[in-house]
Amino acid sequence: GEYMEGLLSMIVREPVGVCAAVTPWNYPLMMAVWKWAPALAAGNTVVLKPSDTTPVSTLRMAELMGAILPSGVFNVVCGRRETGRLLVEHAVPSLVSITGSVRAGREVAASAAPLLKRVHLELGGKAPVVVFADADLETAAADIAVAAYFNAGQDCTAATRVVVEAAAYETMVALLAREAEQNTKLGSATTMDSEGVLVGPLNSRAQLERVK
């Protein structure tokens, strides 16, 4: 439109080029799709590094996509932390997107800064739930349990903090304890969907040790 009389102003959206993406282990397939789909739709190419503990689903997806997309449009490189650092610091990618820890986000931002790369950081947090005394406390407790324990709590938006109005505090603590003891199902990865299991296996021994 015209922002000044007699002059035409235009906003042109162009692809940035090569996008580097680093995905986590907790939702490896979905996280990969959430990164490459918008990037490819905008006309970019992608180099994606999956977590070293969950690379198989991403590699299989790349195989399937390779039968459709032109060569070099979607690329997967596997490796550990050093591989991710080399990908971020490489001169070719114009944009870097990572889903990971706050520590990883700081390192990526620092690595991307010298070349002024565009950076998209989705980092872990401590998601709070606020409960007021006039809430339906039993429903709140049941919903908080799901939000906290789904996928064994391996979720960057897991309900890891509960802020409760003082008048409802003791009741809420008791209800949450009951949910944990009686209503939170444990099971294997194969029963998580069919039997409503919230707490399945953890990703790795390292994650198990952190929980302990």
Side-chain angles (χ1 to χ4, degrees), residues 31 37-38 44 77 144 197 200:
M31 289 292 187
N44 302 290
V77 293
I144 290 169
V197 169

Side-chain angles (χ1 to χ4, degrees), residues 179-180 182-187 195-200:
E179 287 292 331
Q182 299 178 11
N183 298 330
T184 301
K185 291 185 178 181
L186 309 181
E195 299 181 15
V197 169
L198 292 177
V199 182

Side-chain angles (χ1 to χ4, degrees), residues 3 21 32 46 48 54 56 58 68-69 76 97 99 106 108-109 120 132 145 148-149 152 171 173 179 181 189 204 207:
Y3 294 94
V46 174
L48 188 147
T54 54
V56 176
T58 303
I68 302 171
L69 297 175
V76 176
S97 176
T99 300
R106 290 194 183 104
V108 166
H120 172 263
F132 292 101
Y149 299 127
T171 302
V173 169
E179 287 292 331
E181 294 171 0
S204 63
Q207 293 302 318

Side-chain angles (χ1 to χ4, degrees), residues 121-194:
L121 305 176
E122 181 188 3
L123 309 180
K126 301 292 287 184
V129 178
V130 179
V131 182
F132 292 101
D134 60 350
D136 181 338
L137 298 183
E138 293 208 2
T139 299
D143 289 345
I144 290 169
V146 174
Y149 299 127
F150 179 76
N151 198 31
Q154 300 171 122
D155 192 313
C156 59
T157 59
T160 52
R161 292 186 294 162
V162 183
V163 181
V164 184
E165 189 174 355
Y169 178 80
E170 296 296 338
T171 302
M172 198 65 197
V173 169
L175 289 171
L176 288 173
R178 186 186 70 182
E179 287 292 331
E181 294 171 0
Q182 299 178 11
N183 298 330
T184 301
K185 291 185 178 181
L186 309 181
S188 67
T190 57
T191 61
M192 293 185 74
D193 290 332
S194 61

Side-chain angles (χ1 to χ4, degrees), residues 5-35:
E5 186 177 354
L7 297 176
L8 177 65
S9 299
M10 297 179 65
I11 297 175
V12 179
R13 301 188 184 278
E14 299 179 330
V16 299
V18 179
C19 299
V22 180
T23 53
W25 46 261
N26 56 343
Y27 297 104
L29 186 64
M30 290 191 297
M31 289 292 187
V33 173
W34 292 341
K35 291 192 183 298

